[in-house]
Amino acid sequence: MAKCLLSRVILGHCFLSISLDAFVLTARKNLRRRHYHNVVGKTTSPFDLVSRSIISSISSQNSVVDGDGDANQQQQQPGEAASLRLSCGLLISSFNDGLKPNKQAHDFLLGGLVQSLLLEYQHQTEQDVAESAVQSPCCGPNAQHLEDLDKIDGLVSQVWTHEQPLSLLQQPHENENDPKIIRFVYIPTAMYALRPESRNTPGKQRQRARSDGKKRRNEIVKLLETIMVGPRGEDSLSSIPLSSWDIQAVTVDLDDDSVKQPQGGDHNDNVDVFPTSGKQALTEWNPHFVYVEGGNTFWLHHCMQKGDYQDILKETLCSTTSTPTVYCGSSAGAILVGACMETACWKGWDNPQVVPGMESYQDWKGVAGLNLVDGRTFFPHMEEDKWTNLVQEKRVQLPCLGEKLVYLNEDDVFCLGKHLREPVVVS
């Protein structure tokens, strides 16, 4: 089929009658058809089990409250612009109680990272196809590159149904000595907020916060290593040795756009392997994984606005092109991507005095978040015997919660992705 398709379009290339992008698109559509029937009727994978655990409303004693009493997903109205949505996200109250021990969440994170890596390979191969056509306009794109693109298209279509998704990471003509790279951006800005009531000096507080942030980042890297290595054993088809991975991690502070504590990159002789600014880390560096740490939600939001990070975060976290990013937001990081920031006021845990000009809870009424989760607002660290009455009271009082309020228990992991019709909560 590929050869027939090439012969039909070569003449068009010689006379520049069709664009290169249109050619690549047409080739991919025809080549891709072979793969679709292969994913039908496969054995149920862990991701299918997760995707069928659809979240319910609070009337079913689950962790989602629909303000209008409608448990269905909000439908886009005719003529209404599509809202931005996280490409793949995990929202939690706690790393230690939520993400770290949760096997289903690990499976979901693995699927998101495998998909991100495969789509990056796909984008690179599309560029190879385009460059080969430019170099030889009369002969058309390189046939091997087209076959590689066909293969990757098939792998991408299987990510969320395959029993062993790690086995899909087969970059065509990959040099076995080259590591598989995961670029990880860790954002502990919320942890860095000074505490006016503390007896320690600002310098001591910052030193302690940076130390705690580094420890947490190391824990996340270890979790990524465990997940990406896969099940060990001689008979395992999905196990990938740790030596085959290069997890390149940086810490970004939205307060000053700094990049600190680069880790990994040992297999790369290029001294420019790491970004030099926070904005570069979130754009040109094309991270596969972004983790926003908990802490003072008000300080996190303030630093995001002060540094003009809103549009950058939206573009990075919602993009489906090139390298789609997997997002994990812990506590403040979960609230940030919701529709409304006001839930950070409810318990009185976060001190708004750290933000100049917005020192009271009253100042945060109606302040919007990034709104990347279909209009939902998040209330982390839920304890039903302690906060249920407060949650119900606030839901009635606050108009910005008119869509959906999601509360997260300590062990909950709220998972959403563009492959899921509805988000799911796994505990």
Side-chain angles (χ1 to χ4, degrees):
M1 182 184 294
K3 292 181 179 178
C4 293
L5 178 62
L6 283 170
S7 65
R8 288 201 301 270
V9 299
I10 285 174
L11 185 59
H13 268 277
C14 294
F15 289 96
L16 303 177
S17 61
I18 66 172
S19 70
L20 186 59
D21 288 343
F23 169 75
V24 173
L25 180 61
T26 302
R28 291 179 64 203
K29 283 182 178 178
N30 282 275
L31 291 169
R32 192 188 298 171
R33 287 179 188 144
R34 304 181 226 166
H35 294 285
Y36 287 159
H37 71 278
N38 292 333
V39 299
V40 177
K42 280 187 174 289
T43 304
T44 301
S45 76
F47 308 111
D48 291 320
L49 296 176
V50 170
S51 63
R52 283 203 288 266
S53 304
I54 304 302
I55 53 179
S56 308
S57 67
I58 195 171
S59 60
S60 301
Q61 299 301 309
N62 227 325
S63 300
V64 177
V65 180
D66 288 351
D68 55 5
D70 184 1
N72 295 324
Q73 188 175 11
Q74 183 182 9
Q75 297 297 317
Q76 184 179 333
Q77 299 300 318
E80 179 183 346
S83 60
L84 290 173
R85 190 173 192 259
L86 291 175
S87 299
C88 184
L90 302 93
L91 306 180
I92 60 177
S93 292
S94 164
F95 173 80
N96 285 328
D97 296 327
L99 181 60
K100 187 176 180 180
N102 193 316
K103 179 61 169 62
Q104 283 185 303
H106 297 174
D107 290 339
F108 191 86
L109 176 56
L110 171 63
L113 291 172
V114 169
Q115 177 177 259
S116 181
L117 288 164
L118 285 174
L119 289 174
E120 182 176 43
Y121 298 160
Q122 185 184 70
H123 179 68
Q124 292 169 352
T125 308
E126 286 173 345
Q127 291 182 320
D128 292 338
V129 170
E131 289 173 5
S132 67
V134 169
Q135 292 171 2
S136 182
C138 290
C139 295
N142 181 284
Q144 183 60 58
H145 291 332
L146 276 176
E147 289 182 12
D148 292 344
L149 187 58
D150 178 31
K151 178 180 179 181
I152 296 176
D153 286 346
L155 297 176
V156 169
S157 71
Q158 299 178 55
V159 169
W160 297 105
T161 58
H162 204 285
E163 289 184 319
Q164 298 177 327
L166 276 175
S167 66
L168 301 175
L169 291 177
Q170 305 169 34
Q171 186 178 0
H173 309 300
E174 182 180 30
N175 186 336
E176 292 184 359
N177 295 322
D178 290 341
K180 294 175 174 61
I181 296 173
I182 292 180
R183 294 180 294 276
F184 166 36
V185 173
Y186 177 67
I187 302 178
T189 301
M191 290 180 65
Y192 289 178
L194 297 177
R195 291 178 291 116
E197 71 279 5
S198 175
R199 295 182 179 180
N200 292 326
T201 64
K204 286 279 189 183
Q205 290 186 55
R206 292 190 187 97
Q207 184 180 16
R208 175 64 182 270
R210 290 190 180 112
S211 175
D212 290 344
K214 187 175 182 180
K215 290 177 183 176
R216 174 52 50 79
R217 196 189 79 174
N218 289 340
E219 288 185 273
I220 298 169
V221 169
K222 287 181 180 179
L223 177 63
L224 290 176
E225 290 175 347
T226 301
I227 291 173
M228 301 313 290
V229 165
R232 302 178 186 234
E234 296 180 1
D235 298 331
S236 176
L237 298 176
S238 61
S239 179
I240 299 179
L242 184 57
S243 59
S244 297
W245 289 103
D246 182 11
I247 298 178
Q248 299 176 0
V250 295
T251 294
V252 168
D253 187 0
L254 304 186
D255 181 28
D256 58 6
D257 196 43
S258 63
V259 172
K260 293 183 172 66
Q261 302 168 347
Q263 174 183 340
D266 298 335
H267 301 273
N268 197 319
D269 296 329
N270 184 0
V271 294
D272 298 326
V273 66
F274 292 107
T276 57
S277 72
K279 289 184 173 65
Q280 186 183 44
L282 290 167
T283 54
E284 299 171 32
W285 204 48
N286 291 323
H288 302 99
F289 185 48
V290 171
Y291 188 106
V292 176
E293 187 61 83
N296 191 309
T297 311
F298 307 121
W299 180 249
L300 174 63
H301 186 273
H302 166 70
C303 292
M304 177 191 72
Q305 286 197 317
K306 180 181 70 170
D308 291 326
Y309 273 97
Q310 301 98 307
D311 291 341
I312 290 175
L313 286 169
K314 289 178 180 179
E315 173 64 25
T316 299
L317 302 180
C318 301
S319 174
T320 56
T321 60
S322 185
T323 309
T325 300
V326 180
Y327 177 79
C328 185
S330 176
S331 191
I335 295 175
L336 185 70
V337 296
C340 182
M341 302 296 297
E342 200 166 339
T343 52
C345 304
W346 293 2
K347 301 189 192 79
W349 289 2
D350 295 0
N351 190 339
Q353 294 178 6
V354 298
V355 179
M358 298 188 72
E359 290 95 346
S360 72
Y361 292 126
Q362 186 71 21
D363 295 326
W364 289 89
K365 280 198 169 184
V367 174
L370 291 174
N371 195 15
L372 305 181
V373 196
D374 302 322
R376 292 178 173 89
T377 295
F378 293 88
F379 180 71
H381 306 290
M382 177 66 176
E383 297 176 52
E384 295 188 21
D385 58 344
K386 190 174 183 179
W387 302 115
T388 297
N389 291 337
L390 174 67
V391 168
Q392 296 290 11
E393 175 187 337
K394 293 293 185 180
R395 182 175 69 84
V396 173
Q397 292 178 354
L398 301 176
C400 70
L401 303 184
E403 293 299 331
K404 292 178 181 176
L405 170 65
V406 180
Y407 63 79
L408 298 172
N409 296 308
E410 292 296 324
D411 60 348
D412 284 342
V413 182
F414 180 97
C415 305
L416 75 156
K418 301 208 172 187
H419 66 289
L420 291 176
R421 184 172 299 175
E422 291 266 0
V424 299
V425 174
V426 294
S427 302

